[in-house]
Amino acid sequence: MKIKESSRQVLVCQNRTCRKENSAKVLAAFEKLSPSEVEVVASSCLGQCGNGPMVLVLPEEVWYSGVCQEEVATIAEQHLGGGKSVERMLYRKFHRLSH
């Protein structure tokens, strides 16, 4: 039986600035709460220093900024499980409010 590679990933920045903002706890929460078909990756810098912890969901290219470990369950349930991004948590540099 061939194991299918995950096509969906959650990248959680583990670079210096994000780590100061507890990104290691955010990463651990995603590893615990994400659906099994989603690959959680400890990434290097995502290039948005000072806005972290940064989380990038692929292949959709949805960015979340300032994520704290208590918010991971919402992203895991609503976005990863339900397919709908969590609008109030989106990184505004790349995502606009949809009114």
Side-chain angles (χ1 to χ4, degrees), residues 43-98:
S43 79
S44 57
C45 184
L46 294 171
Q48 303 303 314
C49 297
N51 295 292
M54 294 302 300
V55 173
L56 174 58
V57 180
L58 298 173
E60 302 100 307
E61 294 188 22
V62 173
W63 291 78
Y64 293 102
S65 62
V67 178
C68 65
Q69 88 184 76
E70 295 81 16
E71 297 170 320
V72 171
T74 303
I75 297 172
E77 291 168 19
Q78 185 176 319
H79 187 153
L80 303 178
K84 187 173 184 333
S85 60
V86 184
E87 189 163 317
R88 64 179 167 80
M89 297 171 61
L90 293 174
Y91 184 35
R92 296 293 170 224
K93 182 175 179 180
F94 298 135
H95 303 287
R96 297 175 188 250
L97 287 172
S98 60

Side-chain angles (χ1 to χ4, degrees), residues 1 5 16 22 37 39-40 48 72 79 85:
M1 187 166 102
E5 278 190 45
R16 203 171 321 172
N22 294 314
E37 68 274 8
E39 179 185 10
V40 178
Q48 303 303 314
V72 171
H79 187 153
S85 60

Side-chain angles (χ1 to χ4, degrees), residues 14-30:
Q14 295 300 298
N15 208 31
R16 203 171 321 172
T17 307
C18 284
R19 285 190 70 84
K20 287 180 184 175
E21 300 292 331
N22 294 314
S23 65
K25 290 181 179 180
V26 173
L27 175 66
F30 271 109

